[in-house]
């Protein structure tokens, strides 16, 4: 049986991938955003097509052309990403949340451009927390057999190292697999390369050596396939 890159082991499967970083608007022209490029999500979508899957890609602000053979849905905000992911997840055999949704959004959005004051003062921005899409689709599963995959970029801190924080996040989110990146050295954003450890709710831990984002994508699909079988 052929496995990994070159296999048709996703044939007949419908997979959903989210990619990019969401924007939260302060007014019609300004937003809070993040540095996610969407490259890992694009690599996941391409790898899944190559392995025979039907792929839906929900993309938040990604400056890349649609990958061939993929249904691409473009969104901007976390609220839009949530609506598209929740709706497409109902028909998906696997969901991979490679997007970086903004954790916070401005409590209010001005409908007209915020003007600066003559006295040199600046406004304060009150933030509220966004809904956690991965936790929502994992906690309220519409399909018991679907494999749900999250990502976690961690630096490690006083409370634990990268993998300890990853294990805690996997338990909190209740997804099936969590792809943990150590970002303490910087230089993943927009980089063609990545390395990761894939943690499973079943206790598995698979190290993916430094390589292209395509290689990391195939390693993730390998673990999704292993979870189904
Ligand atoms: N995620 C999500 N919805 C959010 C935030 C994150 O679905 N509002 C998903 C991401 O797509 C990723 C996973 O959750 O797959 C982990 O994201 P991360 O930012 O590491 O987790 P957070 O719970 O936001 O925790 P932290 O405080 O470490 O940022
Ligand atoms: Ca976050």
């Amino acid at each position: 049986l052929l496995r990994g890159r070159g296999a048709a082991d996703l044939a007949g499967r419908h997979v959903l991938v989210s990619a990019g970083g969401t924007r939260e608007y302060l007014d019609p022209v300004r937003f809070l955003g993040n540095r996610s490029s969407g490259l890992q999500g694009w690599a996941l979508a391409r790898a899944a097509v190559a392995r025979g899957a039907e792929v839906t890609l929900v993309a938040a602000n990604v400056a890349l052309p649609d990958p061939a053979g993929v249904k691409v849905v473009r969104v901007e905000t976390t609220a839009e990403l949530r609506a598209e992911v929740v709706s497409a997840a109902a028909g998906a055999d696997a969901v991979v949340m490679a997007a970086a949704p903004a954790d916070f959004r401005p409590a209010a959005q001005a409908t007209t451009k915020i003007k600066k004051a003559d006295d040199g003062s600046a406004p304060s921005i009150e933030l509220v927390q966004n809904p956690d899409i991965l936790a929502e689709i994992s906690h309220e599963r519409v399909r018991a057999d679907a494999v749900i995959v999250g990502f976690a970029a961690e630096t490690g801190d006083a409370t634990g190292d990268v993998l300890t924080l990853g294990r805690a996040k996997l338990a909190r989110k209740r997804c099936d697999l969590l792809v943990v990146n150590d970002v303490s050295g910087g230089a993943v954003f927009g980089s063609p390369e990545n390395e990761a450890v894939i943690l499973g709710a079943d206790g598995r831990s698979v190290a993916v050596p430094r390589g292209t984002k395509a290689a990391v994508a195939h390693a993730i699909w390998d673990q999704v396939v292993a979870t189904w079988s």
Side-chain angles (χ1 to χ4, degrees), residues 16-18 58 75 79-90 92 95-97 99 133-134 137:
L16 169 63
V17 176
S18 70
V58 183
V75 299
E80 290 165 2
L81 181 71
R82 174 179 173 274
E84 295 297 340
V85 166
V86 167
S87 123
V95 181
V96 183
M97 283 293 298
I133 304 163
L134 177 64
I137 62 171

mmCIF file of all heavy atoms in Angstrom, residues 16-18 58 75 79-90 92 95-97 99 133-134 137:
data_model
loop_
_atom_site.group_PDB
_atom_site.id
_atom_site.type_symbol
_atom_site.label_atom_id
_atom_site.label_comp_id
_atom_site.label_asym_id
_atom_site.label_seq_id
_atom_site.Cartn_x
_atom_site.Cartn_y
_atom_site.Cartn_z
ATOM 1 N N LEU A 16 -11.078 20.194 4.705
ATOM 2 C CA LEU A 16 -11.208 21.642 4.857
ATOM 3 C C LEU A 16 -9.930 22.174 5.499
ATOM 4 O O LEU A 16 -9.486 21.650 6.528
ATOM 5 C CB LEU A 16 -12.421 21.934 5.764
ATOM 6 C CG LEU A 16 -12.605 23.353 6.279
ATOM 7 C CD1 LEU A 16 -12.828 24.334 5.133
ATOM 8 C CD2 LEU A 16 -13.795 23.399 7.246
ATOM 9 N N VAL A 17 -9.338 23.182 4.874
ATOM 10 C CA VAL A 17 -8.114 23.796 5.404
ATOM 11 C C VAL A 17 -8.379 25.289 5.574
ATOM 12 O O VAL A 17 -8.978 25.916 4.686
ATOM 13 C CB VAL A 17 -6.923 23.579 4.435
ATOM 14 C CG1 VAL A 17 -5.676 24.295 4.942
ATOM 15 C CG2 VAL A 17 -6.636 22.087 4.226
ATOM 16 N N SER A 18 -7.966 25.857 6.694
ATOM 17 C CA SER A 18 -8.015 27.316 6.823
ATOM 18 C C SER A 18 -6.587 27.840 6.797
ATOM 19 O O SER A 18 -5.656 27.154 7.228
ATOM 20 C CB SER A 18 -8.720 27.750 8.110
ATOM 21 O OG SER A 18 -7.924 27.449 9.248
ATOM 22 N N VAL A 58 -10.356 27.892 3.183
ATOM 23 C CA VAL A 58 -10.874 29.174 3.642
ATOM 24 C C VAL A 58 -9.668 30.042 3.968
ATOM 25 O O VAL A 58 -8.877 29.710 4.860
ATOM 26 C CB VAL A 58 -11.802 29.028 4.860
ATOM 27 C CG1 VAL A 58 -12.376 30.387 5.251
ATOM 28 C CG2 VAL A 58 -12.943 28.055 4.554
ATOM 29 N N VAL A 75 -11.877 35.299 3.033
ATOM 30 C CA VAL A 75 -12.492 36.029 4.142
ATOM 31 C C VAL A 75 -11.498 37.049 4.685
ATOM 32 O O VAL A 75 -10.315 37.015 4.344
ATOM 33 C CB VAL A 75 -12.941 35.073 5.275
ATOM 34 C CG1 VAL A 75 -13.978 34.072 4.787
ATOM 35 C CG2 VAL A 75 -11.748 34.345 5.903
ATOM 36 N N ALA A 79 -14.790 36.631 12.469
ATOM 37 C CA ALA A 79 -16.225 36.295 12.403
ATOM 38 C C ALA A 79 -16.560 35.637 11.063
ATOM 39 O O ALA A 79 -17.296 34.642 11.012
ATOM 40 C CB ALA A 79 -17.072 37.549 12.617
ATOM 41 N N GLU A 80 -15.986 36.180 9.959
ATOM 42 C CA GLU A 80 -16.222 35.590 8.631
ATOM 43 C C GLU A 80 -15.574 34.214 8.532
ATOM 44 O O GLU A 80 -16.160 33.272 7.990
ATOM 45 C CB GLU A 80 -15.662 36.500 7.533
ATOM 46 C CG GLU A 80 -16.440 37.795 7.353
ATOM 47 C CD GLU A 80 -15.677 38.848 6.542
ATOM 48 O OE1 GLU A 80 -14.541 38.563 6.085
ATOM 49 O OE2 GLU A 80 -16.213 39.949 6.387
ATOM 50 N N LEU A 81 -14.360 34.086 9.065
ATOM 51 C CA LEU A 81 -13.651 32.794 9.036
ATOM 52 C C LEU A 81 -14.461 31.752 9.796
ATOM 53 O O LEU A 81 -14.643 30.621 9.329
ATOM 54 C CB LEU A 81 -12.255 32.955 9.664
ATOM 55 C CG LEU A 81 -11.375 31.702 9.692
ATOM 56 C CD1 LEU A 81 -10.892 31.342 8.290
ATOM 57 C CD2 LEU A 81 -10.170 31.904 10.614
ATOM 58 N N ARG A 82 -14.959 32.150 10.963
ATOM 59 C CA ARG A 82 -15.752 31.237 11.783
ATOM 60 C C ARG A 82 -16.985 30.753 11.019
ATOM 61 O O ARG A 82 -17.267 29.550 10.976
ATOM 62 C CB ARG A 82 -16.177 31.929 13.078
ATOM 63 C CG ARG A 82 -17.119 31.104 13.927
ATOM 64 C CD ARG A 82 -17.487 31.843 15.214
ATOM 65 N NE ARG A 82 -18.519 31.115 15.923
ATOM 66 C CZ ARG A 82 -19.830 31.248 15.685
ATOM 67 N NH1 ARG A 82 -20.254 32.110 14.763
ATOM 68 N NH2 ARG A 82 -20.704 30.539 16.352
ATOM 69 N N ALA A 83 -17.718 31.671 10.406
ATOM 70 C CA ALA A 83 -18.943 31.297 9.687
ATOM 71 C C ALA A 83 -18.637 30.298 8.572
ATOM 72 O O ALA A 83 -19.338 29.291 8.422
ATOM 73 C CB ALA A 83 -19.616 32.550 9.119
ATOM 74 N N GLU A 84 -17.581 30.545 7.795
ATOM 75 C CA GLU A 84 -17.243 29.660 6.664
ATOM 76 C C GLU A 84 -16.730 28.306 7.158
ATOM 77 O O GLU A 84 -17.067 27.264 6.600
ATOM 78 C CB GLU A 84 -16.195 30.321 5.751
ATOM 79 C CG GLU A 84 -16.688 31.577 5.047
ATOM 80 C CD GLU A 84 -17.851 31.331 4.082
ATOM 81 O OE1 GLU A 84 -18.061 30.171 3.655
ATOM 82 O OE2 GLU A 84 -18.552 32.300 3.758
ATOM 83 N N VAL A 85 -15.905 28.302 8.203
ATOM 84 C CA VAL A 85 -15.342 27.045 8.713
ATOM 85 C C VAL A 85 -16.436 26.190 9.344
ATOM 86 O O VAL A 85 -16.530 24.984 9.070
ATOM 87 C CB VAL A 85 -14.189 27.311 9.718
ATOM 88 C CG1 VAL A 85 -13.830 26.045 10.500
ATOM 89 C CG2 VAL A 85 -12.961 27.836 8.988
ATOM 90 N N VAL A 86 -17.283 26.802 10.162
ATOM 91 C CA VAL A 86 -18.346 26.037 10.821
ATOM 92 C C VAL A 86 -19.278 25.428 9.770
ATOM 93 O O VAL A 86 -19.657 24.262 9.867
ATOM 94 C CB VAL A 86 -19.116 26.923 11.836
ATOM 95 C CG1 VAL A 86 -20.414 26.262 12.288
ATOM 96 C CG2 VAL A 86 -18.224 27.243 13.044
ATOM 97 N N SER A 87 -19.592 26.194 8.726
ATOM 98 C CA SER A 87 -20.517 25.668 7.714
ATOM 99 C C SER A 87 -19.852 24.564 6.890
ATOM 100 O O SER A 87 -20.453 23.515 6.667
ATOM 101 C CB SER A 87 -21.071 26.829 6.874
ATOM 102 O OG SER A 87 -20.809 26.658 5.522
ATOM 103 N N ALA A 88 -18.589 24.722 6.477
ATOM 104 C CA ALA A 88 -17.921 23.703 5.655
ATOM 105 C C ALA A 88 -17.515 22.480 6.478
ATOM 106 O O ALA A 88 -17.397 21.381 5.933
ATOM 107 C CB ALA A 88 -16.700 24.300 4.961
ATOM 108 N N ALA A 89 -17.302 22.645 7.778
ATOM 109 C CA ALA A 89 -16.871 21.522 8.631
ATOM 110 C C ALA A 89 -17.928 20.412 8.668
ATOM 111 O O ALA A 89 -17.591 19.241 8.828
ATOM 112 C CB ALA A 89 -16.575 22.008 10.047
ATOM 113 N N ALA A 90 -19.186 20.790 8.481
ATOM 114 C CA ALA A 90 -20.273 19.799 8.528
ATOM 115 C C ALA A 90 -20.106 18.730 7.464
ATOM 116 O O ALA A 90 -20.512 17.581 7.667
ATOM 117 C CB ALA A 90 -21.617 20.504 8.372
ATOM 118 N N ALA A 92 -17.013 17.871 6.080
ATOM 119 C CA ALA A 92 -15.592 17.536 5.931
ATOM 120 C C ALA A 92 -15.195 16.302 6.733
ATOM 121 O O ALA A 92 -15.603 16.124 7.877
ATOM 122 C CB ALA A 92 -14.736 18.731 6.353
ATOM 123 N N VAL A 95 -10.548 18.516 9.140
ATOM 124 C CA VAL A 95 -10.440 19.971 9.183
ATOM 125 C C VAL A 95 -9.059 20.311 9.729
ATOM 126 O O VAL A 95 -8.681 19.825 10.799
ATOM 127 C CB VAL A 95 -11.502 20.601 10.115
ATOM 128 C CG1 VAL A 95 -11.380 22.128 10.104
ATOM 129 C CG2 VAL A 95 -12.913 20.166 9.723
ATOM 130 N N VAL A 96 -8.302 21.113 8.986
ATOM 131 C CA VAL A 96 -6.984 21.545 9.473
ATOM 132 C C VAL A 96 -7.000 23.058 9.626
ATOM 133 O O VAL A 96 -7.128 23.794 8.650
ATOM 134 C CB VAL A 96 -5.845 21.112 8.525
ATOM 135 C CG1 VAL A 96 -4.493 21.519 9.115
ATOM 136 C CG2 VAL A 96 -5.878 19.600 8.277
ATOM 137 N N MET A 97 -6.885 23.517 10.867
ATOM 138 C CA MET A 97 -6.931 24.954 11.161
ATOM 139 C C MET A 97 -5.516 25.533 11.158
ATOM 140 O O MET A 97 -4.900 25.711 12.208
ATOM 141 C CB MET A 97 -7.593 25.188 12.527
ATOM 142 C CG MET A 97 -9.112 25.062 12.528
ATOM 143 S SD MET A 97 -9.951 26.362 11.562
ATOM 144 C CE MET A 97 -9.452 27.826 12.478
ATOM 145 N N ALA A 99 -4.971 28.520 9.908
ATOM 146 C CA ALA A 99 -5.104 29.980 9.962
ATOM 147 C C ALA A 99 -4.701 30.511 11.330
ATOM 148 O O ALA A 99 -4.725 29.794 12.325
ATOM 149 C CB ALA A 99 -6.553 30.382 9.666
ATOM 150 N N ILE A 133 -12.519 29.231 17.173
ATOM 151 C CA ILE A 133 -13.150 28.395 16.140
ATOM 152 C C ILE A 133 -12.779 26.928 16.311
ATOM 153 O O ILE A 133 -13.635 26.039 16.248
ATOM 154 C CB ILE A 133 -12.744 28.889 14.732
ATOM 155 C CG1 ILE A 133 -13.095 30.368 14.558
ATOM 156 C CG2 ILE A 133 -13.412 28.039 13.642
ATOM 157 C CD1 ILE A 133 -12.376 31.049 13.400
ATOM 158 N N LEU A 134 -11.496 26.653 16.543
ATOM 159 C CA LEU A 134 -11.026 25.275 16.694
ATOM 160 C C LEU A 134 -11.693 24.603 17.892
ATOM 161 O O LEU A 134 -12.165 23.461 17.798
ATOM 162 C CB LEU A 134 -9.497 25.261 16.855
ATOM 163 C CG LEU A 134 -8.847 23.910 17.096
ATOM 164 C CD1 LEU A 134 -9.042 22.987 15.899
ATOM 165 C CD2 LEU A 134 -7.359 24.080 17.399
ATOM 166 N N ILE A 137 -15.502 23.871 17.003
ATOM 167 C CA ILE A 137 -15.804 22.708 16.144
ATOM 168 C C ILE A 137 -15.367 21.402 16.801
ATOM 169 O O ILE A 137 -15.910 20.348 16.495
ATOM 170 C CB ILE A 137 -15.222 22.842 14.709
ATOM 171 C CG1 ILE A 137 -13.703 22.941 14.722
ATOM 172 C CG2 ILE A 137 -15.852 24.007 13.983
ATOM 173 C CD1 ILE A 137 -13.081 22.858 13.324
#
